[in-house]
Amino acid sequence: VGYSDGTLEIRNGTSGEIEQTLVGHSNYITAIAWHTTETQIISGSGDISELYLWDLSTGTSYNLYSNHEFRSTVKSVSWDTDASQIIVSTLSDVQVWNALSSPPQFISQIHIPTVYRMVGLPSQSLIATQTHGDVILRDGVSFAQLSIVSTGGYGALAWSPDGQQLASGNWIGQIDIWDVSSDSFQSQHTVQDAIYSKPKPNAPVYIQALSFNLTGTELYSVGFDGIYTQWDIETGTMLN
């Protein structure tokens, strides 16, 4: 869990209890991604651009942006299939880092302006990005645009474990689950913002984060109001 003061917390997935606190960022956390071994975390922060790699086994950390000329506000982070590369999207580009070197070394960048969110399939054959409100499918190697899935505003993205569904949440509080196995990209379920608590009457809630469970049967979402919600994928109903 990342907070506005730059603090990261590792919490028990069942009890919610804090197991470890990570301190290093000097600004609000914008992105977090686990290594496949669950021994490392990559995290990014906002206005004071920072990109941290955390080794949970040793308790050490390293700011990849400490002397990096291309640093920019980090919007999303992810690892590729074999965890050999770190993929970072910023307000101005998509960056690739070599995760096998110590510390990770910058490899390349591709200019895709204003990528608010980016998530890759486990195979990295496809990536999904949110740019100026459009949810776009791109080639996982060249980042070339393949299809526009929707134009419903930006907020959060998540792939299902089998790579057949893409969940998107937007700034007006709506969550869609898209069937990307077909060319039609039809939304299977739409969950309106009315289920979320509102800071004031009729105010939508910005979707901050989305994640599928390991079996792809449930979706978890967090709104700007801090409310965590658990959804049933088949029915689109709220479980918790």
Side-chain angles (χ1 to χ4, degrees):
V1 182
Y3 294 93
S4 58
D5 63 357
T7 300
L8 287 161
E9 290 178 349
I10 310 299
R11 289 178 174 261
N12 184 287
T14 302
S15 66
E17 294 182 356
I18 300 172
E19 297 185 346
Q20 194 171 354
T21 300
L22 307 177
V23 179
H25 282 284
S26 57
N27 207 348
Y28 60 94
I29 304 299
T30 55
I32 307 171
W34 282 95
H35 190 280
T36 53
T37 62
E38 298 185 0
T39 59
Q40 292 182 323
I41 290 176
I42 189 77
S43 60
S45 62
D47 296 335
I48 303 174
S49 304
E50 296 165 327
L51 182 64
Y52 268 88
L53 177 67
W54 307 85
D55 188 323
L56 303 182
S57 61
T58 64
T60 58
S61 63
Y62 181 79
N63 181 13
L64 278 63
Y65 275 177
S66 59
N67 294 301
H68 182 52
E69 62 180 302
F70 299 119
R71 61 184 176 187
S72 179
T73 299
V74 176
K75 302 305 292 184
S76 67
V77 292
S78 63
W79 305 80
D80 69 352
T81 308
D82 58 4
S84 63
Q85 294 182 337
I86 298 169
I87 315 297
V88 182
S89 70
T90 76
L91 286 178
S92 59
D93 59 19
V94 174
Q95 301 171 358
V96 182
W97 293 74
N98 180 4
L100 298 181
S101 60
S102 183
Q105 297 296 309
F106 177 78
I107 298 176
S108 63
Q109 67 178 158
I110 301 173
H111 288 284
I112 307 176
T114 321
V115 177
Y116 293 103
R117 292 288 184 270
M118 179 186 68
V119 290
L121 275 175
S123 65
Q124 287 297 118
S125 58
L126 282 176
I127 63 171
T129 62
Q130 286 177 324
T131 306
H132 291 300
D134 295 337
V135 178
I136 299 173
L137 290 184
R138 299 179 182 272
D139 182 89
V141 177
S142 67
F143 295 93
Q145 179 174 319
L146 301 176
S147 303
I148 296 179
V149 179
S150 74
T151 57
Y154 60 86
L157 292 171
W159 285 105
S160 62
D162 62 6
Q164 299 300 301
Q165 294 179 320
L166 176 68
S168 64
N170 63 27
W171 63 276
I172 63 172
Q174 179 173 310
I175 300 172
D176 290 320
I177 300 176
W178 305 89
D179 178 9
V180 296
S181 61
S182 67
D183 293 332
S184 58
F185 303 120
Q186 294 299 309
S187 174
Q188 293 187 335
H189 297 293
T190 297
V191 182
Q192 297 294 340
D193 59 77
I195 292 181
Y196 283 96
S197 63
K198 308 290 194 302
K200 59 183 179 179
N202 302 318
V205 176
Y206 189 124
I207 303 300
Q208 291 282 80
L210 293 169
S211 179
F212 283 88
N213 67 349
L214 294 178
T215 59
T217 58
E218 296 177 4
L219 180 71
Y220 313 121
S221 66
V222 176
F224 193 71
D225 54 3
I227 299 298
Y228 161 84
T229 308
Q230 182 180 5
W231 306 94
D232 182 275
I233 296 299
E234 184 176 357
T235 64
T237 55
M238 182 176 63
L239 300 175
N240 188 17

